[in-house]
Amino acid sequence: MKRVAVITDSSAYLPEDIVQSLDLHVVPLTLHWGEETYRDGVDIRAEEFYERLAEADSLPTTSQTTVGEFERLFKELLDQDFAVIAILISSGISGTVESAQQAKELLPQAPIAVVDSRLVSMALGFMVMAVARAARDGASLEECQVIAEAVYPKIGVYFTVDTLKYLNKGGRINTAKRLLGAALNIKPIMEIRDGKIELVESVRSRKKASQRLLELTEKGIAGRTPVRISTFHAAAESGNQALMAEAEARFDPVETITTCVSPVVGAHTGPGTLSIAYMAGVD
């Protein structure tokens, strides 16, 4: 049986120590800013990106990983006698899954599986980690696919933004235009549902938004154990630390991960984004 190599994309923004320890292969999405092009997490890191975004007159655009990039990586891993599973950002948010599928079709007899995670950021990261740990322990390609589907309903992610202008400009949420006319201090709470960004509700302050993120997470966990928690942010370090401290006290997680919102995701959510993801009931 072939060993399984696990690929994901940069939108997960997994910490480098996890990428290394689980032997993950990360394909970067792309940022276009004026005349310049950056590979997400490679040519531009989160801290630098959000400093620049806060002062920019023009906003960056993003694009998916290309078919050619997937084909090259697939061939490289197949030549090392791996089977390959690519677990990628939701097709409802990005065309990256489509690029990977097209690359797979160029290698029709190869042991390659492409999984539409229907997730993003650390929610995607948790699915990738669960599959990578199974692959490390000897799971087959087919077993890895089953695990990805099995953990999906046990994962959730909620986030709040400081302003809706980035989501509105990128067309990533249908309700953004309606909410733009609301009070300036409104803080929308959003989730990834069925692969798309959906509005859950809105509250009147940042503090209330943070508390609501925790309440929704508790509801999603629904008493299942063990619990894994990640908090991640876009230029909101202090809020992120406070959110994690409260999550640790509330959920007693077996694993915690703090990281940033990747630049390619943050281009659509903006500075001040605060997020929490969980995976519950997966050993």
Side-chain angles (χ1 to χ4, degrees):
M1 185 176 70
K2 292 180 181 289
R3 296 171 298 157
V4 178
V6 180
I7 296 171
T8 191
D9 61 76
S10 62
S11 72
Y13 223 68
L14 284 157
E16 188 60 30
D17 62 328
I18 292 175
V19 172
Q20 295 295 328
S21 66
L22 293 177
D23 198 22
L24 298 172
H25 303 269
V26 180
V27 292
L29 280 71
T30 304
L31 284 158
H32 306 280
W33 212 337
E35 299 298 316
E36 299 187 65
T37 297
Y38 304 92
R39 292 170 296 168
D40 184 34
V42 177
D43 302 319
I44 190 165
R45 302 295 297 175
E47 295 80 3
E48 173 193 354
F49 174 75
Y50 292 116
E51 286 180 9
R52 181 173 170 184
L53 186 63
E55 299 176 356
D57 294 325
S58 62
L59 299 182
T61 59
T62 60
S63 61
Q64 66 216 52
T65 306
T66 67
V67 175
E69 287 174 286
F70 276 116
E71 184 185 14
R72 284 192 292 274
L73 181 54
F74 287 168
K75 285 181 176 178
E76 178 184 323
L77 293 169
L78 292 167
D79 287 345
Q80 296 174 48
D81 204 31
F82 282 105
V84 178
I85 185 168
I87 307 170
L88 304 168
I89 182 174
S90 172
S91 62
I93 297 173
S94 168
T96 299
V97 166
E98 183 180 353
S99 290
Q101 288 283 13
Q102 290 179 26
K104 176 185 174 180
E105 290 168 8
L106 296 173
L107 303 162
Q109 304 305 314
I112 300 169
V114 176
V115 175
D116 179 358
S117 71
R118 294 160 284 168
L119 299 167
V120 70
S121 297
M122 270 304 306
L124 165 60
F126 278 136
M127 180 182 284
V128 169
M129 291 167 66
V131 171
R133 285 166 174 160
R136 182 185 59 191
D137 293 341
S140 68
L141 181 60
E142 293 75 16
E143 288 168 336
C144 286
Q145 290 177 268
V146 169
I147 289 165
E149 285 300 317
V151 301
Y152 174 76
K154 300 174 182 179
I155 296 171
V157 58
Y158 298 96
F159 66 100
T160 186
V161 297
D162 256 0
T163 170
L164 282 160
K165 76 173 186 178
Y166 299 94
L167 283 167
N168 181 58
K169 185 173 178 63
R172 289 304 196 275
I173 181 169
N174 294 332
T175 51
K177 284 191 188 304
R178 175 170 58 82
L179 287 174
L180 279 171
L184 291 177
N185 64 344
I186 193 171
K187 300 301 176 189
I189 307 292
M190 285 164 283
E191 67 175 329
I192 306 299
R193 186 191 310 149
D194 299 326
K196 296 181 180 180
I197 299 171
E198 299 288 351
L199 177 71
V200 178
E201 60 188 72
S202 51
V203 295
R204 291 289 183 176
S205 71
R206 185 74 162 183
K207 183 177 180 180
K208 288 181 179 178
S210 294
Q211 287 303 309
R212 196 67 184 120
L213 292 177
L214 292 164
E215 291 166 1
L216 289 165
T217 297
E218 184 169 24
K219 183 178 179 181
I221 289 170
R224 291 172 296 180
T225 58
V227 175
R228 291 173 167 83
I229 293 287
S230 176
T231 61
F232 47 106
H233 70 100
E237 178 67 35
S238 61
N240 194 62
Q241 290 177 352
L243 185 62
M244 177 56 83
E246 291 196 50
E248 288 183 298
R250 193 161 183 163
F251 305 125
D252 191 25
V254 297
E255 183 174 31
T256 60
I257 300 169
T258 55
T259 186
C260 295
V261 177
S262 78
V264 79
V265 175
H268 299 289
T269 61
T273 300
L274 189 61
S275 319
I276 185 167
Y278 69 85
M279 182 167 69
V282 179
D283 292 327

